[in-house]
Amino acid sequence: MKNKGICPKCGGEDIRIVEGFYGRYGEGNSFSLGIMGLHSFKKDTYICCDCGFTEEWLAEEDLETVLGSKKAKKRPKEE
Ligand SMILES: [Zn+2]
C-alpha cells in the first residue's frame, strides 16, 4: 500500500496518509521494547478510504532500535 498506492485488500486507490510523530511517553505512537522503558516511534498510517484497511510503517531510522531490542523477536521460520 505504501509502495504501490493500491489497497492489498480491495484494490482501492484512494489511500490517505496520516503522518506519525515522535510523541512523549504514553502517546499513541509508542510501544515498549524494553529499552529504557517506552520508546517512541514515528509511525505513518496508510488508510484505504474504500474499505478502511490501515497499514502502519515505522520510520527507517527506528528500525535499528527494533533490531537492537530483545523484545522484538525474530519471526520463526516456517518448516
Ligand atoms: Zn481497501
Side-chain angles (χ1 to χ4, degrees):
M1 193 139 97
K2 178 187 178 191
N3 301 321
K4 290 185 179 167
I6 297 170
C7 174
K9 301 293 176 191
C10 74
E13 294 178 19
D14 192 2
I15 309 296
R16 306 294 164 97
I17 303 162
V18 179
E19 281 191 26
F21 57 92
Y22 291 104
R24 279 167 292 180
Y25 286 175
E27 288 184 72
N29 283 353
S30 306
F31 53 84
S32 173
L33 279 178
I35 316 159
M36 296 179 293
L38 215 55
H39 184 87
S40 184
F41 293 97
K42 180 178 177 289
K43 284 196 278 190
D44 291 339
T45 306
Y46 288 67
I47 304 160
C48 170
C49 287
D50 288 316
C51 74
F53 179 71
T54 63
E55 217 174 55
E56 285 185 331
W57 291 75
L58 292 192
E60 274 184 35
E61 65 252 41
D62 281 332
L63 297 181
E64 272 189 41
T65 308
V66 175
L67 288 172
S69 166
K70 285 178 187 155
K71 205 170 175 189
K73 293 184 186 134
K74 202 162 184 178
R75 181 181 172 278
K77 281 198 180 118
E78 282 161 48
E79 304 276 315

